[in-house]
Amino acid sequence: MTRAKLDFVSSSSLTSAQKAELLKVDNKDLTFTHMYWELASVGSTSRDILVYGKANYEFTYPEDEKWEKGMVPTVFSLLPVLRITDRRPSSKFEGKGLVLAEASVIDTFLAGRFGLLGDNEWESLAIQTFYSNIHYLRERCFSSVLDVPSELRKKGRDNYMNVQITKFCEDHEYHLKDNGSNGHYVGNKLSLADIHLSNIIHFFSTVTWGKMALDRFQQYESLWKVKENVDKVPAIAEWRQSSIFKGHEEASIAWYANNAIPEDEPEA
């Protein structure tokens, strides 16, 4: 099946120079349209950033039937996709915009737009380094636990929890202590890495393995403090109590219940 494609490098709508110019437009004059499944998962961090930044945003979801028929345009046949358009009346960009794909690119782009990549180039690189390692932890979950035969999922889950998550927590606890155990990865300000870690902890302790994962993360005080700091950010706290967010969470729990070993799965 050939899926409908979105223009990415094409100049049929805007030239490369015009796209670069559009990216210089102030946030308040842009609309960010974010498409992802009605789930938490990979789209969560970019949603959090748009909420935190008080952006002009819209969260959209593909229709299942259209998706199955390849009628939902994407860049790589995957989601999320972010559309950026100029909302100013009579702007030369009116009705036109650009598209970004890949969760890590979208997250990092939005973090830069909304002040979550530190105060200088070095801090930006450090934050992106922590973010990348956090992001990879989620990807290893898919390869270790989900994308395996069902009879191997429990073994994969146990190895993932006992080896990979433990090593991740030890590594990140070390660096967070090195930053003074102040609840932030870099300096003393909220960053992309902080929000992404909060999402990963929430994902594992709410959506997939509940108390088992929660207990593991809570053993690491500096790491847990990052989650608590993010949870206290007013805009993010309000968003995570919203009916929309809870709908994403409930749908995720239902999906992963059928695709991941629950924490109380009996021994074979």
Side-chain angles (χ1 to χ4, degrees):
M1 178 184 67
T2 301
R3 182 171 298 281
K5 290 291 187 288
L6 291 167
D7 287 341
F8 185 56
V9 295
S10 169
S11 60
S12 60
S13 175
L14 295 174
T15 66
S16 176
Q18 288 173 323
K19 290 174 182 177
E21 186 178 352
L22 177 58
L23 289 174
K24 295 178 182 178
V25 173
D26 192 272
N27 288 334
K28 66 179 174 54
D29 293 319
L30 295 176
T31 295
F32 301 89
T33 304
H34 181 280
M35 176 178 280
Y36 187 63
W37 304 104
E38 201 167 359
L39 299 170
S41 198
V42 181
S44 293
T45 295
S46 47
R47 287 172 178 152
D48 278 356
I49 295 171
L50 287 168
V51 169
Y52 166 79
K54 297 180 173 57
N56 302 298
Y57 66 84
E58 180 183 10
F59 296 150
T60 62
Y61 316 94
E63 295 181 24
D64 289 343
E65 184 176 353
K66 288 184 176 181
W67 179 265
E68 292 299 326
K69 293 181 178 179
M71 296 169 62
V72 178
T74 62
V75 177
F76 298 119
S77 302
L78 297 166
L79 296 175
V81 165
L82 182 71
R83 293 177 181 266
I84 305 161
T85 55
D86 191 335
R87 64 198 301 266
R88 295 174 297 180
S90 303
S91 162
K92 65 179 179 179
F93 299 122
E94 186 176 9
K96 299 179 180 180
L98 57 85
V99 171
L100 289 179
E102 296 294 285
S104 58
V105 173
I106 293 170
D107 290 353
T108 305
F109 164 75
L110 290 175
R113 297 287 308 203
F114 295 102
L116 295 167
L117 284 183
D119 293 332
N120 54 52
E121 185 177 6
W122 168 248
E123 289 189 356
S124 176
L125 288 170
I127 289 165
Q128 290 180 69
T129 300
F130 289 121
Y131 166 87
S132 178
N133 191 259
I134 296 165
H135 197 73
Y136 187 49
L137 181 70
R138 188 201 300 274
E139 299 309 306
R140 289 201 300 271
C141 170
F142 289 101
S143 61
S144 301
V145 182
L146 302 181
D147 295 335
V148 297
S150 58
E151 66 272 16
L152 298 179
R153 284 180 183 162
K154 185 179 187 304
K155 180 179 179 181
R157 188 277 312 274
D158 291 346
N159 178 73
Y160 185 80
M161 287 292 302
N162 295 326
V163 178
Q164 297 192 55
I165 285 187
T166 297
K167 185 67 171 68
F168 171 88
C169 290
E170 290 173 350
D171 288 343
H172 284 252
E173 186 76 359
Y174 171 86
H175 293 294
L176 288 165
K177 285 182 177 178
D178 205 35
N179 191 47
S181 297
N182 64 357
H184 299 291
Y185 272 98
V186 175
N188 58 4
K189 290 173 57 178
L190 184 71
S191 75
L192 169 64
D194 300 346
I195 294 176
H196 205 45
L197 178 73
S198 169
N199 266 308
I200 289 293
I201 293 177
H202 188 82
F203 173 78
F204 285 121
S205 61
T206 303
V207 172
T208 52
W209 302 314
K211 188 175 185 299
M212 178 188 297
L214 191 65
D215 289 346
R216 184 63 51 85
F217 287 117
Q218 285 180 326
Q219 292 175 26
Y220 299 87
E221 294 182 8
S222 299
L223 186 138
W224 189 253
K225 189 172 181 179
V226 175
K227 177 188 180 299
E228 290 181 325
N229 273 359
V230 175
D231 288 348
K232 293 174 184 176
V233 176
I236 293 177
E238 183 178 357
W239 158 240
R240 291 183 180 178
Q241 290 300 314
S242 70
S243 59
I244 297 175
F245 180 88
K246 290 185 178 296
H248 296 163
E249 190 174 73
E250 290 168 5
S252 294
I253 291 170
W255 191 90
Y256 282 96
N258 294 322
N259 293 279
I261 297 295
E263 63 174 321
D264 57 353
E265 181 75 11
E267 295 286 345

